[in-house]
Amino acid sequence: MDKIRIRGGRPLRGSIVIGGAKNAALPLMTASLLTDETLTLTNLPDLADIATLTNLLVQHGVGFDVVAGAQGHGGRVVALKAADIVSTTAPYDLVRKMRASVLVLGPLLARCGVAKVSLPGGCAIGTRPVDLHIKGLTQMGARIDLEGGYILASAPEGLRGADIVFPTVSVGATENLLMAATLAKGETVLANAAREPEVTDLARCLVAMGAEIEGIGTDTLRIRGKDRLHGAEHRIVSDRIETGTYLMAAAITGGEIELVHGDLDHLQSVGRTLSAAGIEFTPTERGFRAARTNGLHGVDAMTEPYPGFPTDLQAQMMALMSVADGASMITETIFENRFMHVPELMRMGARVTVHGASALVRGVPRLTGAPVMATDLRASVSLVLAGLAAQGETVVNRVYHLDRGYERLEEKLAACGADIERLKE
């Protein structure tokens, strides 16, 4: 397995181009199953998770053509066409690699009336059950059984609209039921729906494909089903998690980075929290600039559904607070097992005490380089951030997690002055 070696202590300066959002691209790709016409996606990032979902969609019968590679400051342009669905089974060997694969369930069931989808895998950061997906589809008239690790779903007469109230906010369930509802008979209302920018991006793409959706960007989505959807072209929204990660890289090293295509409107909670910590944001013609201006101060953060502080930036925030003046309390309310990076940060000298769902972080003057182990996608990048600020050499092992969500990470950081390299094995 590859490793990443970092020699820390260098303030980062320069610019980083933010790519298309992985968490938007994945549901957008599965939306191609809803039509027999071509869905063209622009600004598609080149990531391991994208490749995994591509393999799954291809075995369903989706044609996947790269129209243009990454050009200038833009991602790839791809054309997806599901003229014929040749398989309605999403096998374990493909789904186990990434839990977002369960997003084929709603589109397959809506278009074909049947689907067999393996229960998903992915990062080991909590159970993240699919019960809300199943309950919602059942309300829409599907018959669903769990057998041998698979979700067996059928709706031979088609899905029908329903009023669905999510007991808790779920991005994946909102996306799955939103896509299914576009081809259901009648009207579907999704209440307490997720409001993440990635959900909004999916809804806008579905509208471009002919869907009728009201309430986009709110917690109540009203969908009037259509007999069919058509093809469309859609640009994937910029990745707010990549944006937040790199602005924290500027902050933790005491540097200054322009985030090209970065959108602070999608990070308002993060912006407020980091402004209080001493980070300054300046709009530019291409995005915005992030810089640490007057020291780094400890602040508290609690993860919440959008527009709250994203759980996908919690680990990076903890790395940043480990070198801040004073103490910080970081509370995780989304996933129950998302502090696995804590022991690795402590190997580098961080002072962290975990109390259930909260972690008390007492800032230290400096971290010290050490060999560390990545446990999941966001935890792995938090160790990279810590290594950028640490004295000496840090080696991050199991970086295949990083490749799931960060495109050319070491190249982008090196261009801003980081002493970082990938070690091939």
Side-chain angles (χ1 to χ4, degrees):
M1 288 179 205
D2 291 359
K3 304 176 182 179
I4 285 182
R5 181 172 63 198
I6 306 158
R7 296 181 179 91
R10 294 188 176 191
L12 300 183
R13 302 192 184 281
S15 63
I16 290 177
V17 177
I18 302 302
K22 182 198 81 154
N23 290 339
L26 297 173
L28 287 166
M29 290 170 67
T30 65
S32 65
L33 294 166
L34 293 166
T35 177
D36 60 359
E37 297 183 14
T38 300
L39 174 62
T40 301
L41 298 176
T42 66
N43 200 32
L44 184 74
D46 188 6
L47 302 167
D49 275 8
I50 300 296
T52 296
L53 186 59
T54 298
N55 291 335
L56 177 60
L57 292 175
V58 166
Q59 72 89 39
H60 286 311
V62 179
F64 185 94
D65 296 313
V66 179
V67 178
Q71 299 177 354
H73 295 327
R76 294 178 298 162
V77 179
V78 298
L80 300 97
K81 186 172 184 178
D84 297 296
I85 304 295
V86 299
S87 170
T88 56
T89 298
Y92 169 75
D93 282 348
L94 291 172
V95 177
R96 69 179 176 84
K97 298 177 182 178
M98 182 184 63
R99 69 171 293 102
S101 303
V102 78
L103 292 175
V104 301
L105 176 61
L108 284 175
L109 186 58
R111 181 171 169 190
C112 303
V114 63
K116 179 181 178 183
V117 179
S118 172
L119 289 166
C123 283
I125 57 172
T127 55
R128 299 197 285 180
V130 294
D131 56 331
L132 298 183
H133 305 238
I134 293 171
K135 182 179 179 182
L137 291 171
T138 301
Q139 286 180 254
M140 296 173 71
R143 175 179 173 176
I144 297 184
D145 298 299
L146 300 181
E147 184 180 304
Y150 278 82
I151 303 167
L152 306 180
S154 63
E157 303 301 318
L159 296 173
R160 60 177 183 269
D163 289 348
I164 298 169
V165 181
F166 295 108
T168 57
V169 177
S170 169
V171 172
T174 299
E175 292 168 339
N176 230 337
L177 298 182
L178 172 60
M179 287 188 283
T182 62
L183 293 180
K185 298 181 180 71
E187 182 176 272
T188 299
V189 178
L190 303 179
N192 198 29
R195 292 184 285 162
E196 273 72 0
E198 296 80 15
V199 176
T200 296
D201 204 37
L202 172 63
R204 287 174 176 160
C205 177
L206 293 171
V207 168
M209 295 169 68
E212 190 174 340
I213 304 171
E214 295 179 2
I216 295 175
T218 75
D219 63 359
T220 302
L221 296 170
R222 191 178 299 270
I223 308 104
R224 294 180 181 89
K226 300 288 186 179
D227 291 335
R228 66 186 303 274
L229 298 183
H230 53 70
E233 180 172 325
H234 179 80
R235 178 177 174 81
I236 298 168
V237 69
S238 294
D239 195 320
R240 64 194 172 100
I241 305 302
E242 186 185 20
T243 302
T245 298
Y246 288 127
L247 72 85
M248 290 191 200
I252 201 170
T253 63
E256 182 175 323
I257 297 178
E258 182 188 17
L259 299 154
V260 180
H261 303 322
D263 190 343
L264 266 181
D265 287 341
H266 291 165
L267 287 169
Q268 291 185 16
S269 176
V270 175
R272 288 192 298 269
T273 302
L274 293 184
S275 291
I279 314 307
E280 186 175 280
F281 305 103
T282 307
T284 68
E285 290 184 359
R286 303 188 298 173
F288 70 92
R289 184 174 287 105
R292 193 171 89 195
T293 54
N294 184 27
L296 186 61
H297 318 297
V299 293
D300 298 338
M302 176 183 291
T303 65
E304 295 175 304
Y306 188 84
F309 197 99
T311 180
D312 279 352
L313 286 173
Q314 177 259 111
Q316 299 91 308
M317 184 67 181
M318 188 179 294
L320 180 62
M321 291 296 97
S322 69
V323 294
D325 295 330
S328 311
M329 184 68 77
I330 296 179
T331 303
E332 174 61 59
T333 72
I334 307 297
F335 296 126
E336 73 276 11
N337 193 24
R338 208 165 199 185
F339 284 152
M340 292 187 291
H341 48 284
V342 170
E344 302 303 305
L345 287 173
M346 292 176 69
R347 285 174 51 78
M348 302 178 69
R351 297 176 63 200
V352 184
T353 305
V354 175
H355 302 275
S358 294
L360 177 64
V361 185
R362 299 178 179 88
V364 297
R366 68 176 60 84
L367 299 174
T368 305
V372 290
M373 186 77 70
T375 54
D376 63 68
L377 169 56
R378 307 306 174 183
S380 60
V381 83
S382 76
L383 300 177
V384 172
L385 296 189
L388 292 171
Q391 189 174 53
E393 182 176 283
T394 298
V395 176
V396 182
N397 295 278
R398 290 173 63 181
V399 297
Y400 63 85
H401 289 294
L402 272 175
D403 297 330
R404 291 185 50 224
Y406 292 94
E407 186 176 4
R408 299 182 293 108
L409 174 125
E410 62 271 23
E411 180 182 323
K412 290 182 177 183
L413 290 172
C416 292
D419 187 345
I420 181 172
E421 63 177 332
R422 179 177 291 246
L423 305 177
K424 296 284 187 181
E425 283 197 0

